Amino acid sequence: MLRHCGFCGSRGIFQSRTDFLHSEAGMSVVRRAAALLTLSRGATTALCSNRKSARQLLRMPASSKTHAAGFSIASTLCSVPFIQHNENLSHESLIRRASCLLTDSANTYLSQTTLALSDALTLYTTALHTLIALQKRYLNSIGKLTPAEEDSIWQVIIGQRVEVSERLDECTRFESSWVTAVGLCELAVEAAYNSGAEHASMALKNGLQVAQSKVQEMRELRAVAEKSLAEIKAEEIQRMAEYASSIKRQDLEDIPEAYLRED
């Protein structure tokens, strides 16, 4: 038939098809047909995929199905924002929290001042024992030293006395801070107990007792050293008086008897 139509006939058919594609209505029809074809292919692919997934899920054990369902639910829940319910903060709970913070701060201040005072008392006590040793050494050498040696040892003793005085001033300064810390801790213990924070109150009270026991122990050691120094000073005064008296008697013995007679 095409042969019968010849070249002109086939050319007419091709021309009519070309004219159809160039027309706007024809192109619109073509685009809609292409879109429908793409949509139908996507639907067919999704349907096949869903059927395949369904078959796989049916073939899974019961535990695997449970995990798969849980994962699906978890994935869904992850996309849903949760609303966190804040705790009902009453005045009592806020005061209780503040009292706990107060006990923590008071405990920190007490710890630092206790450590500083303990170190100061230790250094002061050590300085006292060093001075006591120097004083004893001097007393044992009274009348046996040359003037130069006696002057040298006295320079060392004076320097040690200056150090003892400085250490005592340091103890006084840190003890003032420690006493303030103790007062704050006592107030914090009472405030925590009254607010209902019994645990914080009891913990701070125990810490306060430990600090007071430690400082009391160091004070007793200082008192022993100070007592020893006072005793050595009293002995020094007595020994110096005896030494001076012996020098006077020796000087009187050296004076000729004629000078001692009264006219």
Side-chain angles (χ1 to χ4, degrees):
M1 182 178 179
L2 290 174
R3 290 179 181 178
H4 177 75
C5 292
F7 177 77
C8 293
S10 60
R11 182 180 180 183
I13 295 172
F14 181 76
Q15 183 68 33
S16 62
R17 291 178 180 177
T18 305
D19 293 340
F20 173 77
L21 293 175
H22 282 290
S23 63
E24 293 182 359
M27 291 301 295
S28 176
V29 172
V30 172
R31 284 194 294 267
R32 285 197 295 270
L36 290 173
L37 181 60
T38 303
L39 182 60
S40 64
R41 288 179 179 177
T44 303
T45 303
L47 180 59
C48 294
S49 177
N50 291 335
R51 289 178 179 177
K52 185 177 181 181
S53 300
R55 287 195 297 270
Q56 292 177 353
L57 184 60
L58 290 174
R59 294 175 183 174
M60 290 181 180
S63 59
S64 300
K65 292 179 182 179
T66 304
H67 291 304
F71 177 76
S72 178
I73 294 173
S75 301
T76 305
L77 292 177
C78 288
S79 62
V80 179
F82 287 95
I83 301 176
Q84 296 181 354
H85 297 283
N86 293 328
E87 182 183 355
N88 185 18
L89 299 179
S90 61
H91 292 298
E92 289 78 7
S93 62
L94 291 175
I95 293 175
R96 186 165 53 253
R97 289 186 178 186
S99 66
C100 291
L101 293 176
L102 178 61
T103 55
D104 291 340
S105 300
N107 187 32
T108 301
Y109 185 46
L110 177 65
S111 300
Q112 294 299 325
T113 53
T114 302
L115 179 61
L117 180 58
S118 298
D119 290 344
L121 289 172
T122 300
L123 293 175
Y124 173 65
T125 304
T126 302
L128 284 175
H129 284 295
T130 303
L131 180 59
I132 291 169
L134 291 173
Q135 293 284 157
K136 288 182 177 180
R137 180 181 176 185
Y138 173 72
L139 290 179
N140 294 330
S141 61
I142 288 179
K144 303 176 183 179
L145 300 174
T146 63
E149 291 174 343
E150 186 174 357
D151 183 68
S152 177
I153 193 172
W154 266 108
Q155 291 297 327
V156 176
I157 291 175
I158 292 173
Q160 188 62 30
R161 286 178 177 178
V162 171
E163 182 179 354
V164 168
S165 178
E166 292 175 353
R167 296 300 183 186
L168 180 59
D169 292 340
E170 190 177 38
C171 288
T172 303
R173 185 172 66 255
F174 285 129
E175 190 167 5
S176 176
S177 300
W178 183 79
V179 170
T180 302
V182 170
L184 288 176
C185 287
E186 291 175 348
L187 293 176
V189 167
E190 183 179 359
Y193 181 79
N194 292 334
S195 65
E198 291 85 0
H199 180 72
S201 176
M202 184 61 64
L204 181 57
K205 186 176 181 180
N206 293 336
L208 181 59
Q209 292 176 353
V210 171
Q212 289 175 331
S213 177
K214 178 65 176 179
V215 171
Q216 182 62 29
E217 180 182 354
M218 299 303 300
R219 284 174 173 173
E220 291 176 357
L221 294 176
R222 180 187 66 176
V224 171
E226 289 176 342
K227 182 179 179 180
S228 299
L229 181 61
E231 291 175 352
I232 201 69
K233 285 184 177 180
E235 184 179 356
E236 178 186 350
I237 294 174
Q238 182 179 358
R239 294 284 298 274
M240 290 297 294
E242 293 175 355
Y243 179 69
S245 178
S246 64
I247 291 178
K248 288 182 179 179
R249 287 197 302 268
Q250 185 177 0
D251 291 340
L252 291 175
E253 291 175 357
D254 292 339
I255 298 177
E257 186 177 354
Y259 289 97
L260 298 177
R261 293 177 182 176
E262 293 181 0
D263 293 337

